[in-house]
DNA sequence: GTCTATACCAAGATAGAC
DNA sequence: GTCTATCTTGGTATAGAC
């Protein structure tokens, strides 16, 4: 009977209306980011975004004349900045980088479970599947990864690791977090993330540090 | 002018016709697996699969009455088995598990570069974005991850690691490989994969082994 | 088992009134 | 800046001849 298979879209929780009401553009970007995070680029329609953001179709193309692609780039940049904030806050709360990254994995695991395993990395789902054909989106995703790597790098340098070691480790920390989040999402279990935290800590602790670490 | 933004679909290389001509069903599954690996579930159409597989639309629904979902499950299982073979071959070629995993990352990096960074993990793109709404697909992806973990686990046990250590490491090895492949794809660089290989080797080498390792 | 035609719906995007 | 109506194309899926 149904011509297109229906997919349940939980969407159980409104993100709690903020004190200052958001502008239309901001509402659109946030909604796009959240929906593409869950459903990917192709799985998310402009009409769905406009409906859930409380904006009309005219507003969508008023603010994003480049259409869906431009919207996706804005969504990825939003997710990028959002995670930079989380990353900064969690890393700052623990002096030791290993402990900080372990705390980060716990935080990610909690968030994933709280969303019933649907809110994964805010850029992966959007970028995957479009990487080959839509260079703007791919580039925005690459920038996000670079920003996150830089945050980890700064933490490792601050702890007294050699620059080369820190730079290389930052790559693997982000890669492992990405993969563990993915695995946790697919298997609906916190285990991959928590083990990633333990192992990353152990790996980092094998590298020498200078004495004057703050 | 165009109502739907066109996406370039390179598809430069036919996978070289095998000696034994494939049956229709096999051709459909392989084509579906390859296309969904590149474009994701929502980005891949039944008509596109049928065209590229040289099958008619009638054949598609003859072999897969469950439609696109059933086809996606078959595609994921195909990618699963395909990677189990690669994993088994590469891991068997090196006695030391660390060296074997490093060889694996080199192999993955080569394949990714050879495909101009479009052929990533054969199940990730298909599963992502559908995990929440399509349980069959999510379950097939979870099974694939479990199979790959078991292959790594066997290699670590064989090398003399304690079972608990090996079991936990197998999780992180797969997570890190997944994430590094993703990062390599997005940044169009082999670096994340190669660094992942180095770091995973270093991590594995921090664990004790029994003397009677083969 | 294979093929063609088609029903039915949703997608992205645009036009133009207000 | 907002809203509605609409155009066109593509999607999934089905029917039924061969």
């Amino acid at each position: 009977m149904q011509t297109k298979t229906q997919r349940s879209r939980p969407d159980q929780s409104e993100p709690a209306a903020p004190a200052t009401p958001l502008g239309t553009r901001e509402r659109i970007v946030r909604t796009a980011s959240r929906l593409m995070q869950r459903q990917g680029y192709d799985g998310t329609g402009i009409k769905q975004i406009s409906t859930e953001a409380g904006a009309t179709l005219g507003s969508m193309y008023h603010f994003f004349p480049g259409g869906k692609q431009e919207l996706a780039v804005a969504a990825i940049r939003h997710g990028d900045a959002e995670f930079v904030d989380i990353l900064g806050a969690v890393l700052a709360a623990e002096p030791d980088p290993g402990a900080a990254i372990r705390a980060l994995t716990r935080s990610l695991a909690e968030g994933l479970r709280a969303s019933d395993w649907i809110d994964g990395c805010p850029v992966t789902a959007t970028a995957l599947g479009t990487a080959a054909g839509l260079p703007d989106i791919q580039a925005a995703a690459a920038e996000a990864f670079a920003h996150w790597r830089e945050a980890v790098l700064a933490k490792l340098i601050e702890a007294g690791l050699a620059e080369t070691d820190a730079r290389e480790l930052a790559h693997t920390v982000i890669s492992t977090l990405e993969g563990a989040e993915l695995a946790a999402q697919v298997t609906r279990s916190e285990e991959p993330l928590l083990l990633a935290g333990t192992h990353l800590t152990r790996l980092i602790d094998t590298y020498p540090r200078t004495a004057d670490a703050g």
Side-chain angles (χ1 to χ4, degrees), chain A:
Chain A
M1 193 60 62
Q2 57 197 6
T3 63
K4 183 168 190 178
T5 309
Q6 289 189 357
R7 229 183 278 184
S8 62
R9 306 206 189 271
D11 215 301
Q12 56 254 24
S13 61
E14 303 258 339
T20 313
L22 270 48
T24 304
R25 201 196 130 96
E26 262 298 299
R27 265 181 4 251
I28 292 171
V29 171
R30 291 190 189 206
T31 306
S33 178
R34 181 168 42 92
L35 288 177
M36 287 187 179
Q37 174 183 24
R38 297 177 180 179
Q39 305 167 356
Y41 179 82
D42 287 300
T44 305
I46 303 244
K47 284 177 183 168
Q48 187 192 10
I49 298 169
S50 80
T51 301
E52 298 206 11
T56 63
L57 208 49
S59 296
M60 303 292 289
Y61 285 94
H62 172 74
F63 288 110
F64 301 94
K68 196 176 180 179
Q69 286 188 43
E70 190 182 343
L71 190 46
V73 170
I76 288 184
R77 296 221 173 105
H78 176 80
D80 174 1
E82 211 174 37
F83 191 60
V84 163
D85 289 346
I86 295 176
L87 208 51
V90 176
L91 292 186
E94 282 274 2
D96 179 73
I101 283 164
R102 202 195 301 239
L104 182 59
T105 58
R106 278 196 298 266
S107 166
L108 291 173
E110 273 174 36
L112 208 50
R113 176 182 287 281
S115 73
D116 198 31
W117 318 101
I118 61 176
D119 286 341
C121 168
V123 322
T124 303
T126 313
L128 251 196
T130 69
L134 304 178
D136 291 353
I137 296 177
Q138 183 263 341
E143 278 171 32
F145 277 47
H147 292 153
W148 304 343
R149 247 185 2 243
E150 278 160 28
V152 173
L153 170 64
K155 184 74 184 177
L156 293 173
I157 294 280
E158 186 188 308
L161 272 82
E163 176 152 348
T164 302
D165 291 345
R167 197 167 286 282
E168 294 183 352
L169 273 174
H171 259 101
T172 295
V173 168
I174 297 301
S175 290
T176 300
L177 290 179
E178 282 291 332
E181 176 121 3
L182 197 81
Q185 201 175 354
V186 166
T187 62
R188 302 173 65 87
S189 158
E190 296 184 352
E191 201 178 12
L193 271 168
L194 301 182
L195 288 172
T198 302
H199 286 140
L200 284 175
T201 300
R202 185 181 180 110
L203 174 65
I204 292 170
D205 285 346
T206 66
Y207 285 85
R209 310 184 194 187
T210 61
D212 60 293

